[in-house]
Coordinates of all heavy atoms in Angstrom, one line a residue:
T337 N 32.3 38.6 50.8 CA 31.8 37.4 51.4 C 31.2 37.7 52.8 O 31.4 38.8 53.4 CB 32.9 36.3 51.5 OG1 34.1 36.9 51.9 CG2 33.1 35.6 50.2
G338 N 30.5 36.7 53.4 CA 29.8 36.8 54.6 C 30.7 37.2 55.8 O 30.2 37.8 56.8
D339 N 32.0 36.9 55.7 CA 32.9 37.3 56.8 C 33.4 38.8 56.6 O 34.3 39.2 57.3 CB 34.1 36.3 56.8 CG 34.8 36.3 55.4 OD1 34.4 37.0 54.5 OD2 35.8 35.5 55.3
G340 N 32.8 39.5 55.7 CA 33.1 40.9 55.5 C 34.3 41.2 54.6 O 34.5 42.3 54.2
Q341 N 34.9 40.1 54.1 CA 36.1 40.3 53.2 C 35.7 40.7 51.8 O 34.7 40.1 51.3 CB 37.0 39.1 53.2 CG 38.3 39.3 52.6 CD 39.1 38.0 52.5 OE1 38.8 37.0 53.2 NE2 40.1 38.0 51.6
L342 N 36.4 41.6 51.2 CA 36.2 41.9 49.8 C 37.3 41.2 49.0 O 38.5 41.4 49.2 CB 36.3 43.4 49.5 CG 36.2 43.8 48.0 CD1 34.8 43.5 47.4 CD2 36.5 45.3 47.8
H343 N 36.9 40.3 48.1 CA 37.8 39.6 47.2 C 37.9 40.4 45.9 O 36.9 40.4 45.1 CB 37.3 38.2 46.9 CG 37.1 37.3 48.2 ND1 38.0 36.3 48.5 CD2 36.2 37.4 49.2 CE1 37.6 35.8 49.7 NE2 36.5 36.4 50.1
K344 N 39.0 41.0 45.7 CA 39.1 41.8 44.5 C 39.3 40.9 43.3 O 40.2 40.0 43.3 CB 40.3 42.8 44.6 CG 40.1 43.9 45.6 CD 41.0 45.0 45.4 CE 40.5 46.2 46.3 NZ 41.3 47.4 46.1
L345 N 38.5 41.2 42.2 CA 38.5 40.3 41.0 C 38.5 41.2 39.7 O 37.9 42.3 39.7 CB 37.3 39.4 41.1 CG 37.3 38.4 42.2 CD1 35.9 37.7 42.3 CD2 38.4 37.3 42.1
D346 N 39.0 40.6 38.7 CA 38.9 41.2 37.3 C 37.8 40.5 36.5 O 37.2 41.1 35.7 CB 40.2 41.0 36.6 CG 41.4 41.6 37.3 OD1 41.3 42.8 37.6 OD2 42.3 40.8 37.6
I347 N 37.6 39.2 36.8 CA 36.6 38.5 36.0 C 35.8 37.6 37.0 O 36.3 37.0 37.9 CB 37.3 37.5 35.0 CG1 38.2 38.3 34.1 CG2 36.3 36.7 34.3 CD1 39.2 37.5 33.3
I348 N 34.5 37.6 36.8 CA 33.6 36.6 37.6 C 32.9 35.7 36.6 O 32.3 36.2 35.6 CB 32.6 37.4 38.4 CG1 33.3 38.3 39.5 CG2 31.6 36.4 39.1 CD1 32.3 39.1 40.3
V349 N 33.0 34.4 36.8 CA 32.3 33.4 35.9 C 31.2 32.8 36.7 O 31.4 32.3 37.8 CB 33.3 32.4 35.5 CG1 32.6 31.3 34.6 CG2 34.5 33.0 34.8
L350 N 30.0 32.9 36.2 CA 28.9 32.2 36.8 C 28.7 30.8 36.3 O 28.2 30.6 35.2 CB 27.6 33.0 36.5 CG 27.6 34.5 36.9 CD1 26.3 35.2 36.4 CD2 27.8 34.7 38.4
A351 N 29.3 29.9 37.0 CA 29.1 28.4 36.6 C 28.0 27.9 37.4 O 28.1 26.9 38.2 CB 30.4 27.7 36.9
T352 N 26.8 28.6 37.3 CA 25.7 28.4 38.2 C 24.6 27.6 37.5 O 23.5 27.6 38.0 CB 25.2 29.8 38.7 OG1 25.1 30.6 37.5 CG2 26.0 30.4 39.7
G353 N 24.9 26.9 36.4 CA 24.0 25.9 35.9 C 22.9 26.5 35.0 O 23.0 27.7 34.5
F354 N 21.9 25.8 34.8 CA 20.8 26.1 33.8 C 19.4 25.9 34.4 O 19.2 25.2 35.3 CB 21.0 25.1 32.6 CG 22.4 25.3 32.0 CD1 23.4 24.5 32.4 CD2 22.6 26.2 30.9 CE1 24.7 24.7 31.9 CE2 23.8 26.3 30.4 CZ 24.9 25.6 30.8
K355 N 18.5 26.6 33.8 CA 17.1 26.4 34.1 C 16.7 25.2 33.4 O 16.5 25.2 32.1 CB 16.3 27.6 33.6 CG 16.6 28.9 34.3 CD 15.7 30.0 33.7 CE 16.2 31.3 34.1 NZ 15.7 32.4 33.2
A356 N 16.5 24.1 34.1 CA 16.3 22.8 33.5 C 14.8 22.5 33.2 O 14.5 21.4 32.8 CB 16.8 21.7 34.4
D357 N 14.0 23.5 33.3 CA 12.5 23.3 33.1 C 12.0 24.0 31.9 O 10.8 24.2 31.7 CB 11.7 23.7 34.3 CG 11.9 25.2 34.6 OD1 12.7 25.9 33.9 OD2 11.1 25.8 35.4
Q358 N 12.9 24.4 31.0 CA 12.5 25.3 29.9 C 12.1 24.4 28.6 O 11.2 24.7 27.9 CB 13.5 26.3 29.5 CG 13.7 27.3 30.6 CD 12.5 28.1 31.0 OE1 11.9 28.8 30.2 NE2 11.9 27.8 32.2
F359 N 13.0 23.5 28.2 CA 12.8 22.7 27.0 C 12.6 23.6 25.8 O 13.4 24.4 25.5 CB 11.7 21.6 27.3 CG 12.1 20.7 28.4 CD1 11.6 21.0 29.7 CD2 13.0 19.7 28.2 CE1 12.0 20.2 30.7 CE2 13.3 18.9 29.3 CZ 12.9 19.1 30.5
M360 N 11.4 23.5 25.2 CA 11.1 24.2 23.9 C 10.8 25.7 24.2 O 10.7 26.5 23.3 CB 10.0 23.7 23.1 CG 10.0 22.3 22.8 SD 9.5 21.2 24.2 CE 7.7 21.3 24.1
R361 N 10.6 26.0 25.5 CA 10.2 27.4 25.8 C 11.3 28.3 25.5 O 12.5 27.9 25.6 CB 9.7 27.5 27.2 CG 8.5 26.6 27.4 CD 7.9 26.8 28.8 NE 8.5 25.9 29.8 CZ 8.0 25.8 31.0 NH1 6.9 26.4 31.4 NH2 8.6 25.0 31.9
P362 N 11.1 29.6 25.1 CA 9.9 30.3 25.1 C 8.9 30.2 23.9 O 8.0 31.0 23.8 CB 10.3 31.8 25.2 CG 11.6 31.8 24.4 CD 12.2 30.4 24.7
M363 N 9.1 29.1 23.1 CA 8.1 28.9 22.0 C 6.7 28.8 22.6 O 6.5 28.2 23.6 CB 8.4 27.6 21.3 CG 9.3 27.6 20.2 SD 9.6 26.0 19.5 CE 8.0 25.6 18.9
Q364 N 5.8 29.4 21.9 CA 4.4 29.3 22.2 C 3.8 28.2 21.5 O 3.8 28.2 20.2 CB 3.6 30.6 21.8 CG 4.2 31.9 22.5 CD 3.9 31.9 24.0 OE1 2.7 31.7 24.4 NE2 4.9 32.2 24.8
I365 N 3.3 27.2 22.2 CA 2.8 26.0 21.5 C 1.4 25.7 21.9 O 1.0 25.7 23.0 CB 3.7 24.8 21.8 CG1 5.2 25.1 21.5 CG2 3.3 23.5 21.0 CD1 6.1 24.1 22.0
T366 N 0.5 25.6 20.8 CA -0.9 25.4 21.1 C -1.4 24.2 20.4 O -1.2 24.0 19.2 CB -1.7 26.6 20.6 OG1 -1.1 27.8 21.1 CG2 -3.2 26.6 21.1
G367 N -2.0 23.3 21.2 CA -2.5 22.0 20.6 C -3.9 22.1 20.3 O -4.5 23.1 19.9
T368 N -4.6 20.9 20.4 CA -6.0 20.9 20.1 C -6.8 21.5 21.3 O -6.3 21.7 22.4 CB -6.5 19.5 19.9 OG1 -6.1 18.7 21.0 CG2 -6.0 18.9 18.6

Side-chain angles (χ1 to χ4, degrees):
T337 43
D339 56 1
Q341 195 187 335
L342 174 66
H343 300 251
K344 290 198 167 186
L345 297 167
D346 304 299
I347 301 167
I348 296 177
V349 178
L350 305 176
T352 44
F354 300 87
K355 294 180 195 156
D357 62 350
Q358 295 301 296
F359 301 95
M360 304 81 80
R361 296 187 275 190
M363 267 179 68
Q364 301 289 313
I365 308 173
T366 310
T368 50

